[in-house]
Amino acid sequence: MPHRVVVLALDGLLPFELGIPQRIFGRSIGSEPLDKGRKLYEVVTCSVRPPGPVRTDADFTITVERGPETLATADTVVIPASYELGPVYTQGRLTDELAAAFAHIRPGTRMVSICTGSYVLAAAGYLDGRPATTHWSSADHFQRLFPDVRVDPDVLFIDDGDVLTSAGVAAGIDLCLHIVRRDHGTAVANDVARRTVVPPHRDGGQAQYIQRPVPEARLATTTTARAWALGRLEHPIQLRDMARQESMSVRTFTRRFREEVGVSPVQWLTRQRVERARQLLESTDLSIDQVARDAGFGTATSLRQHLQAVLGVSPSAYRRTFRDRAARD
């Protein structure tokens, strides 16, 4: 059976965020020979009450056909944001209705929040002593309300194993794509991202959106340099070479790049090479040395160091994980 994702619809929910799990998980299709074309997830929605209407923050309600007992069938529970959290938001405690709904959740179920859905996870005790994030505008309030949670307001999402939290709104897409990538590999996640017309991975964190959501139109961008670098990752790339693509000084280019992307050019380049290496490790039988060269790391030692720093595993262990998963499937 496909992995079952149960989305908990709360009064005051944001329709956009409610639709993210269905869009990302519901469109994830197997790419391996044994599961090619098969839906990898089943996405269902439930309420904390018996089936019926649920209010949204828009000028319409939605009808949810499943009640809280559906949570007992979940492999993953997703909690989108709501503007009507009541004592969850003001006092950090679950309502009786929410507590009764959460009682249905089986131990070991993966818990996921989008935006301020993290308040519900924290009130239920899932985030005690753990790292978490939420929308940057709520981070200070969240930290005061839940002092036992290690809040990081700058990242787009946090994966702490069986509990994952995302920042505001569109960061829910980033988190769901990350989960698909973690569950089924880069090829499946990239396919969903392409069909959703979103990047498979966004660099940087919330900090790049707090004061300047979009670079000013009158400023030159670093898009050309990034496209140029992506087309030649296997070659040595110097910062001055990237700056030359935009006819900028290295100093101006570095500052403009960080404003637009949220990280330095070197950090971004390393991340792109790690992603290239992941794709090659998952989808080819190339030797580790060849993967290192094709991804632009030069040597297996360099690849090993960077993969360990970013993913916490060696190239061989990463490849073995996905080969074992394909065999199990």
Side-chain angles (χ1 to χ4, degrees):
M1 294 294 293
H3 182 103
R4 179 169 253 217
V5 177
V6 176
V7 185
L8 182 60
L10 302 174
D11 281 326
L13 62 83
L14 285 67
F16 176 83
E17 296 185 18
L18 179 68
I20 290 172
Q22 175 61 50
R23 177 70 216 192
I24 302 301
F25 296 121
R27 297 297 181 93
S28 296
I29 306 298
S31 61
E32 297 294 334
L34 292 178
D35 64 5
K36 193 171 183 64
R38 177 176 67 88
K39 282 198 170 187
L40 300 174
Y41 300 90
E42 177 191 17
V43 184
V44 299
T45 305
C46 77
S47 170
V48 294
R49 298 185 297 273
V54 174
R55 295 189 301 275
T56 74
D57 76 327
D59 63 342
F60 56 83
T61 62
I62 62 171
T63 299
V64 177
E65 299 180 351
R66 294 176 175 86
E69 64 280 354
T70 306
L71 292 168
T73 69
D75 298 304
T76 294
V77 171
V78 180
I79 305 175
S82 163
Y83 284 145
E84 298 182 21
L85 291 176
V88 172
Y89 185 84
T90 58
Q91 302 171 35
R93 65 173 180 84
L94 296 180
T95 63
D96 292 343
E97 197 173 52
L98 260 175
F102 267 66
H104 290 286
I105 299 174
R106 296 172 298 170
T109 300
R110 182 165 59 188
M111 303 298 293
V112 177
S113 67
I114 298 176
C115 193
T116 55
S118 55
Y119 278 79
V120 179
L121 290 186
Y126 283 96
L127 299 180
D128 289 350
R130 306 181 79 152
T133 192
T134 191
H135 193 288
W136 61 265
S137 64
S138 299
D140 289 342
H141 175 264
F142 186 87
Q143 185 66 89
R144 290 194 302 272
L145 194 62
F146 303 107
D148 291 336
V149 181
R150 304 201 307 272
V151 182
D152 187 342
D154 294 330
V155 297
L156 293 176
F157 60 82
I158 287 179
D159 179 346
D160 196 38
D162 59 339
V163 179
L164 301 93
T165 54
S166 77
V169 195
I173 297 176
D174 297 297
L175 177 54
C176 289
L177 283 172
H178 166 76
I179 292 172
V180 173
R181 186 180 302 111
R182 193 180 95 171
D183 289 350
H184 298 287
T186 300
V188 174
N190 287 355
D191 177 65
V192 177
R194 278 193 298 270
R195 287 187 285 120
T196 310
V197 198
V198 295
H201 175 84
R202 283 195 295 165
D203 292 285
Q206 294 192 80
Q208 62 187 307
Y209 300 102
I210 295 174
Q211 293 183 340
R212 193 195 308 217
V214 179
E216 296 178 15
R218 60 184 175 82
L219 297 176
T221 73
T222 59
T223 304
T224 299
R226 278 179 275 152
W228 175 83
L230 286 174
R232 49 179 292 116
L233 287 177
E234 69 276 18
H235 300 291
I237 298 175
Q238 301 296 324
L239 186 54
R240 63 176 179 272
D241 298 327
M242 295 182 69
R244 191 178 299 121
Q245 305 305 311
E246 305 291 357
S247 300
M248 296 180 189
S249 69
V250 169
R251 182 177 179 180
T252 299
F253 176 80
T254 301
R255 175 173 55 81
R256 195 70 49 74
F257 194 101
R258 187 178 286 277
E259 288 174 352
E260 292 181 24
V261 182
V263 295
S264 72
V266 172
Q267 290 171 318
W268 176 85
L269 194 58
T270 298
R271 184 70 204 198
Q272 304 313 309
R273 284 176 163 152
V274 167
E275 289 302 312
R276 172 71 62 81
R278 290 174 67 171
Q279 294 173 10
L280 294 173
L281 289 169
E282 292 177 26
S283 59
T284 75
D285 292 317
L286 295 174
S287 68
I288 302 300
D289 287 325
Q290 188 61 55
V291 168
R293 288 192 292 270
D294 288 354
F297 287 115
T299 66
T301 299
S302 178
L303 170 61
R304 191 173 298 107
Q305 290 171 343
H306 283 93
L307 216 64
Q308 189 71 44
V310 175
L311 303 179
V313 296
S314 68
S316 298
Y318 184 84
R319 169 173 275 170
R320 190 162 53 247
T321 296
F322 282 93
R323 294 296 167 86
D324 289 348
R325 177 176 296 152
R328 288 196 303 270
D329 290 343

